[in-house]
Amino acid sequence: MQLSEQEIQRRKEREELMKLGIDPYPAALFEVNVSARDIKENYERRKTDYKSVSIAGRLMSRRIMGSASFAEIQDSTGRIQIYLRRDDLCPGDDKSLYNDIFKKRLDIGDIIGIQGYVFTTQMGEISIHVQELTLLSKSLHPLPIVKETEDEKGQKKTYDAFSDPEQRYRQRYLDLIVNPKVKETFKMRTQLINTLRDFFNSKGYLEVETPILQPIHGGAAARPFETHHNTLNMKLYLRIANELYLKRLIVGGFDGVYEFAKDFRNEGMSRFHNPEFTQVELYVAYKDYFWMMDFMEEAVEKVALSLHGDTKVKVGENTIEFQRPWKRFTMFEAIEHFTGIDISKMDEEQLKKVCKDLKVDIDDSMGKGKLIDEIFGEKCEPHLIQPTFIMDYPVEMSPLTKKHRSEEGLVERFEVICNGKEIMNAYSELNDPIDQRERFEEQLELAKRGDEEAMALDEDFLRALEYGMPPTSGVGIGIDRLAMIMTNSNSIQDVLFFPQMRPEKKPVVASESDYVEVGVRKELIPILQKLGFNSIKQLKEANVNKLFNDVCGMRKKLKLDIQNPTKEEVESWLE
RNA sequence: GAUCGCUUAGCUCAGCUGGUAGAGCAAUUGACUUUUAAUCAAUAGGUCCAGGGUUCGAAUCCCUGAGCGAUCACCA
């Protein structure tokens, strides 16, 4: 691999430190008794408490002025300025710790530990006067340097921002180091999950774990990932939902169960979709979907308050108000509201005409339910910014949902739409085993017609229902999407530490022995690599005269103290 | 999958109608004892994404491909 000049430099510094008897990666613990945030928040009020501090972090900037220097270190709570003076750091005659170690062999990105006392500079910045300095980890890879200034109005201006999305997601650790806001986003995501978990626990619902590897994938309409178990010699699927397992637990006698579940769907990727995503599914016995609406309003309102101290959350251009109660529409009402058309009594032919009039794309395979869903998705969903319950879906779309208590052809299902996207999906769960079997069979028909997302029939699940499941309401909350809204993130990739990416394309590079094999002297290999001959095939195709000239020229340029090859030698490589 | 855009130094980006590759930061060497994107002087650093074409001459124009992004379509 070709190293950049700066990487070579840092490797050299590592060696030199070792020769000076300084371990660049010491084994011993480093005692930390304070954090950057702690100092900044409390020093002014309790100055005497900060006369002897010990803190560790990453060196993020340096301003060297002869025998004194300012630098910044960053720990998990933020940055703080440190001040180093040669004669304080090196009280004796030996000034090498400052002159040679700090100034020459430490770099931005290195992790250091310091001991000293807190003071305020003439410019008014709380800083640490360093009395002892310990290298804790040498960094060999230069860090992107992001700088920030603040004008009189407190407006922040960022220079050389590390903003390339590909690099940020592939090397999230770098993103976290140099973009402090990223850390905040992920802390909020965790707090969101904790808030929901605490709320569910406070009601006595049990957090459970169910299989991720499932012989039959069920609970949602989606294409699964397949895998294979060797000992059982059988096909397994990565779960697309955990619904059918959680309902089995309700059959088993729990009143409420929930699971924060990673689910996997083998479908397209976009700023709203990642192949693996998180949803929490919750099932509560003896409840219906009206109860669940109230419960969800309360849950999400709690999340907003916990994260923002307010029920209002700014998302892009909009301010979203999560305060209860939220608007409630039946699907028919929503469609009438946005299009002015009452479709509640229409048959399939009439619906098709409506779609045509509204310029909603349809195809012949679509039944009544699908047509209604298309109209809703096209004409209503994007306009629903404030959290809104959409209730009572067509039965065709919801094979696991109980039929509506009074409306023919509908089911007791709601979704919550917020910021133009679905964030929640809930039902009064279907618990009539005969009805459930018929619905599964309808799905099988769809599958025969080529619907790859149709649900499979799960005999054991049906057997469980036949023993009797109490009336139950269940919900699935899209954690990633809720996190996007709560953290004002434009893309799902911004709320996942490691979003799925295409594999990094690495050029195929010939190994040292490949070069040696065709007769290249070891010391000449870097020259060939520098010239761009990264594979033997490339080398074989080269022109002898040009190659000979280039190699000698590059040797001179790199100022390598080695013997140039002869023309005959170069010729021999290409044979 | 479709359309549009981007790819130049370690990082952020200039580079006009085609004529010897540029800046700031980072790096190296030096000056400087409280700086705030520290400053000053000097040095080094490039397969201009890859391949082909047009041309006396291509980072620049054309074609093909790759990666990435944005928008749209399907899915949570």
Side-chain angles (χ1 to χ4, degrees):
Chain A
M1 201 191 47
Q2 289 279 295
L3 294 175
S4 73
E5 200 184 350
Q6 292 189 42
E7 289 171 288
I8 294 167
Q9 171 73 17
R10 286 175 180 230
R11 279 167 166 73
K12 239 187 250 163
E13 285 163 359
R14 172 183 169 279
E15 294 290 329
E16 286 164 0
L17 286 164
M18 285 171 157
K19 278 183 197 147
L20 290 166
I22 293 168
D23 183 353
Y25 305 98
L29 68 77
F30 183 84
E31 193 79 48
V32 171
N33 64 15
V34 73
S35 72
R37 185 193 290 148
D38 178 5
I39 293 171
K40 285 188 168 168
E41 284 177 359
N42 301 316
Y43 170 67
E44 292 292 355
R45 285 183 285 116
R46 305 201 322 260
K47 293 194 175 175
T48 48
D49 292 349
Y50 296 91
K51 292 219 181 291
S52 174
V53 298
S54 182
I55 186 169
R58 194 182 291 274
L59 195 58
M60 297 304 286
S61 72
R62 276 199 305 180
R63 295 181 286 277
I64 296 175
M65 297 159 296
S67 60
S69 297
F70 283 94
E72 279 178 302
I73 57 168
Q74 173 171 293
D75 70 7
S76 69
T77 68
R79 290 190 189 187
I80 189 154
Q81 178 167 277
I82 64 174
Y83 175 61
L84 302 98
R85 193 156 61 176
R86 186 202 305 158
D87 296 333
D88 292 335
L89 203 57
C90 316
D93 287 339
D94 179 7
K95 305 296 183 192
S96 65
L97 176 60
Y98 181 82
N99 285 341
D100 300 335
I101 310 300
F102 174 74
K103 274 168 76 173
K104 298 201 171 150
R105 293 185 178 87
L106 291 193
D107 290 294
I108 289 173
D110 291 350
I111 295 169
I112 58 172
I114 57 162
Q115 283 160 283
Y117 58 88
V118 181
F119 74 111
T120 308
T121 65
Q122 285 178 8
M123 301 299 290
E125 176 141 350
I126 296 171
S127 307
I128 303 171
H129 194 122
V130 178
Q131 291 164 309
E132 276 184 59
L133 171 72
T134 313
L135 174 60
L136 300 176
S137 183
K138 178 81 195 150
S139 165
L140 298 183
H141 221 118
L143 219 49
I145 310 284
V146 181
K147 290 191 173 173
E148 221 172 45
T149 44
E150 211 170 314
D151 62 22
E152 314 82 55
K153 291 171 205 148
Q155 292 274 341
K156 279 191 179 168
K157 205 173 164 198
T158 305
Y159 299 84
D160 300 337
F162 180 67
S163 58
D164 175 33
E166 188 187 359
Q167 273 194 67
R168 286 186 47 219
Y169 302 144
R170 280 199 201 282
Q171 295 182 274
R172 181 68 87 181
Y173 40 88
L174 282 186
D175 194 26
L176 289 163
I177 291 169
V178 303
N179 294 329
K181 266 194 163 160
V182 175
K183 231 185 226 167
E184 287 311 307
T185 297
F186 285 97
K187 280 189 194 163
M188 282 169 89
R189 182 189 166 111
T190 297
Q191 198 181 335
L192 181 165
I193 291 170
N194 288 344
T195 305
L196 289 176
R197 176 176 281 131
D198 289 348
F199 184 51
F200 297 162
N201 286 343
S202 76
K203 303 289 176 185
Y205 306 144
L206 187 71
E207 182 165 16
V208 299
E209 292 177 276
T210 62
I212 291 171
L213 293 173
Q214 303 180 348
I216 299 170
H217 59 279
R223 289 163 63 188
F225 286 92
E226 290 177 9
T227 186
H228 182 262
H229 189 279
N230 288 344
T231 305
L232 294 173
N233 190 23
M234 70 183 287
K235 190 190 273 184
L236 287 170
Y237 300 95
L238 272 63
R239 71 177 167 204
I240 56 173
N242 51 3
E243 173 156 358
L244 303 187
Y245 284 94
L246 292 178
K247 283 185 192 171
R248 284 172 170 96
L249 297 180
I250 295 293
V251 170
F254 292 107
D255 277 341
V257 288
Y258 70 93
E259 178 175 15
F260 284 91
K262 259 296 178 65
D263 290 338
F264 305 84
R265 299 190 184 173
N266 207 341
E267 290 163 347
M269 289 160 64
S270 75
R271 73 187 181 94
F272 290 104
H273 300 88
N274 194 64
E276 52 183 293
F277 67 102
T278 305
Q279 64 171 338
V280 59
E281 289 195 43
L282 165 73
Y283 292 81
V284 184
Y286 309 113
K287 307 295 187 192
D288 64 6
Y289 76 143
F290 289 114
W291 175 89
M292 187 60 89
M293 283 189 245
D294 297 340
F295 191 65
M296 285 296 107
E297 278 175 341
E298 191 180 350
V300 176
E301 190 190 73
K302 272 187 162 41
V303 168
L305 284 168
S306 160
L307 267 56
H308 298 284
D310 194 343
T311 55
K312 291 191 185 70
V313 178
K314 254 195 98 60
V315 183
E317 303 292 292
N318 304 310
T319 300
I320 297 180
E321 171 61 90
F322 286 101
Q323 190 173 46
R324 291 176 283 169
W326 302 344
K327 235 184 285 168
R328 295 183 187 192
F329 275 135
T330 66
M331 193 168 234
F332 290 146
E333 284 167 355
I335 289 171
E336 191 172 354
H337 181 263
F338 285 103
T339 66
I341 303 170
D342 177 8
I343 60 161
S344 60
K345 304 285 186 302
M346 289 187 179
D347 62 21
E348 196 170 319
E349 283 313 306
Q350 289 170 303
L351 284 170
K352 278 190 174 162
K353 188 173 176 306
V354 169
C355 287
K356 233 177 134 188
D357 293 345
L358 293 173
K359 298 195 170 63
V360 172
D361 278 344
I362 54 167
D363 62 62
D364 288 340
S365 76
M366 290 179 179
K368 203 176 149 185
K370 188 76 186 160
L371 290 169
I372 294 170
D373 193 55
E374 285 294 315
I375 297 171
F376 178 77
E378 190 77 20
K379 295 293 164 190
C380 307
E381 200 173 57
H383 305 296
L384 291 166
I385 302 303
Q386 298 304 322
T388 307
F389 291 107
I390 302 297
M391 308 149 49
D392 301 346
Y393 282 62
V395 63
E396 296 88 343
M397 313 278 310
S398 314
L400 301 167
T401 313
K402 197 187 279 251
K403 286 195 175 120
H404 197 278
R405 59 194 76 183
S406 57
E407 300 291 331
E408 187 68 25
L410 299 181
V411 291
E412 297 205 348
R413 170 178 178 183
F414 73 80
E415 289 189 358
V416 173
I417 313 295
C418 182
N419 207 30
K421 275 280 167 189
E422 176 193 340
I423 57 167
M424 225 185 262
N425 182 14
Y427 326 135
S428 296
E429 301 296 336
L430 177 55
N431 61 346
D432 175 351
I434 304 299
D435 188 358
Q436 182 68 78
R437 181 176 293 276
E438 286 167 5
R439 304 271 199 103
F440 271 140
E441 276 161 1
E442 284 161 18
Q443 290 289 311
L444 293 181
E445 282 304 311
L446 289 178
K448 268 188 209 153
R449 293 216 314 246
D451 183 346
E452 289 184 273
E453 294 178 354
M455 282 186 202
L457 189 147
D458 187 332
E459 278 295 348
D460 178 69
F461 173 66
L462 286 171
R463 182 168 61 188
L465 286 191
E466 283 165 13
Y467 283 97
M469 181 173 86
T472 297
S473 185
V475 68
I477 308 171
I479 294 295
D480 310 295
R481 290 203 178 160
L482 187 56
M484 283 170 68
I485 292 170
M486 289 293 174
T487 61
N488 190 14
S489 298
N490 190 43
S491 164
I492 197 168
Q493 294 170 308
D494 288 325
V495 298
L496 298 169
F497 272 126
F498 303 104
Q500 195 56 243
M501 308 278 280
R502 277 205 178 73
E504 213 168 339
K505 205 185 74 184
K506 279 199 198 112
V508 184
V509 178
S511 71
E512 206 170 73
S513 59
D514 292 333
Y515 289 104
V516 172
E517 208 166 291
V518 294
V520 180
R521 272 185 282 137
K522 233 180 184 173
E523 60 268 29
L524 293 173
I525 293 170
I527 292 177
L528 290 176
Q529 285 173 334
K530 190 80 185 168
L531 286 169
F533 293 100
N534 285 319
S535 74
I536 301 301
K537 187 166 167 270
Q538 261 179 305
L539 185 65
K540 294 274 186 200
E541 285 164 1
N543 174 289
V544 177
N545 290 314
K546 186 171 180 342
L547 180 61
F548 176 60
N549 278 326
D550 285 350
V551 170
C552 297
M554 185 58 77
R555 187 210 62 84
K556 200 171 165 191
K557 196 175 171 196
L558 293 175
K559 295 176 192 134
L560 293 175
D561 189 20
I562 49 178
Q563 200 190 348
N564 273 330
T566 62
K567 178 110 178 275
E568 289 69 35
E569 194 180 345
V570 174
E571 269 168 4
S572 75
W573 301 343
L574 308 187
E575 277 159 14

